[in-house]
Each structure stands twice: as structure tokens, then as C-alpha cells.
Amino acid sequence: MSDLKLAIILGSTRPGRNGEAVANWVLAKAKERANADYELIDLLDYPLPHLDEGVPASRGTYAGEHTKAWSAKIKEFDGYVFVTPEYNHSTSGVLKNAIDYLYAEWNNKAAAFVSYGSLGGTRAIEHLRAISSELQLAHVRQQLSFSLLTDFENFSVFKPSAIHDHAASVLFGQLESWAGALKSVRS
């Protein structure tokens, strides 16, 4: 068992969401690996109201119990796989809100991105890359983008093409490598 701990964050809470199937597929692929322990974090389990902290997250002074619980969970990990839908050319509001609640908990850790949408969700990933850079969250090059047209049956049943298997392996390899290297930066 590895001492490297990585989270897969499901970034949609929408009823009937496609993200749950995508995140479960990502988790199943991750569990085939021996280099890290992966855990799925569903934002449904962390109901964060629209950002309600009076002090900027960069101060690390949290008032809300919901913020303290979210902070404690995110601190556990060395890196993250963000699974995001693409809504209106960007990531979901609930994922952006969850990210904005914290600051230091993200610093000097690694991130990878998995998206889905009519065009594969790539625009959501581009926004997450910019957000991650501001949070000192190092993002890997490899990404996974699933099209509602080709990787879903009737736009709702997730049936990813086998071509994504290799890309997932590359993504996990990059994430594990960077997360391991950044662990020494945080020591």
C-alpha cells in the first residue's frame, strides 16, 4: 500500500448528473493501480452554501463548521482528480464554490482533470487550470475529456470508448509522479 493519497472529486451535484458514472469509472481505473490510494469525494456529501466565510481563504481562519469539515477532508490528500461537467463554457458552480472555500489546503499539491460535455468539457478544464495555478496547485498535462455524443448512449448512459484507457493510465502516472514530488516540497 502506498503512502500517496489522492482524491477524485466529483464536481456536480445536479439531479440526474452524468458525473457520477464518470467519477466511478475514474475510481475503478485508479483502483487498478498500486502507486497510490484513491478515494472518491462527492460534493453531495459536503453541502457548502454559496461562499459564506467572512475572511479570505488565504488566511486559513474558518468560521463555519462546514468549512472546517471540508478543510479537514481536503488536507488528507496529496493530489486530486477533478471530475467536472462543462456548463456554459466553464466548470460547475458547485465545484468552483468548493475550491474557493480553501487556499493552503490546495497549495503544493498536484491536480488532474476529467471532463464531460457536448464538446468533451475541455473549456471547463481550461478554467480549472487557471484557477489551479492561482492556488499553487500543479496541474498535469494529460486530461480526459468525454463527449456526450460519443461516450454516452442517449446522452446519459456512460459508455466510454476504449481509447480512454491509455489516456487514463498516462493521467494517473503523471498525477502520482507530481504528487509524490510535491510531497517533499510540503515537508
Side-chain angles (χ1 to χ4, degrees):
M1 185 171 283
S2 171
D3 67 342
L4 199 58
K5 202 168 172 196
L6 302 171
I8 298 166
I9 299 177
L10 173 49
S12 173
T13 58
R14 188 179 201 169
R17 62 192 174 163
N18 286 325
E20 189 169 9
V22 176
N24 285 330
W25 181 88
V26 171
L27 180 62
K29 292 293 180 190
K31 293 286 187 181
E32 295 172 1
R33 304 180 61 82
N35 299 337
D37 291 325
Y38 287 84
E39 180 181 330
L40 180 60
I41 298 175
D42 189 338
L43 291 181
L44 275 175
D45 298 329
Y46 293 87
L48 299 166
H50 193 77
L51 187 56
D52 67 349
E53 290 287 337
V55 177
S58 60
R59 292 261 189 80
T61 308
Y62 305 129
E65 291 305 314
H66 53 274
T67 310
K68 293 173 186 175
W70 180 235
S71 170
K73 189 62 179 173
I74 293 305
K75 278 182 190 176
E76 294 177 17
F77 299 97
D78 301 303
Y80 313 91
V81 178
F82 293 97
V83 177
T84 183
E86 183 175 306
Y87 297 153
N88 300 317
H89 290 224
S90 191
T91 191
S92 68
V94 70
L95 179 56
K96 176 69 166 81
N97 188 54
I99 291 169
D100 287 347
Y101 259 91
L102 308 175
Y103 181 74
E105 295 84 347
W106 304 116
N107 294 173
N108 295 315
K109 295 182 181 179
F113 306 104
V114 176
S115 61
Y116 57 96
S118 58
L119 297 175
T122 57
R123 296 170 293 200
I125 289 177
E126 288 308 310
H127 286 174
L128 285 171
R129 287 186 187 284
I131 293 162
S132 295
S133 294
E134 179 61 23
L135 295 171
Q136 301 177 55
L137 187 57
H139 43 96
V140 302
R141 180 183 183 275
Q142 185 65 50
Q143 65 188 42
L144 294 172
S145 297
F146 297 103
S147 169
L148 290 173
L149 304 171
T150 58
D151 294 305
F152 291 83
E153 184 178 283
N154 298 319
F155 303 100
S156 62
V157 178
F158 188 51
K159 293 190 174 185
S161 167
I163 195 167
H164 297 295
D165 292 344
H166 175 70
S169 180
V170 172
L171 179 142
F172 293 130
Q174 289 178 357
L175 180 64
E176 292 163 6
S177 177
W178 285 36
L182 287 166
K183 212 171 178 171
S184 65
V185 172
R186 295 190 313 277
S187 310

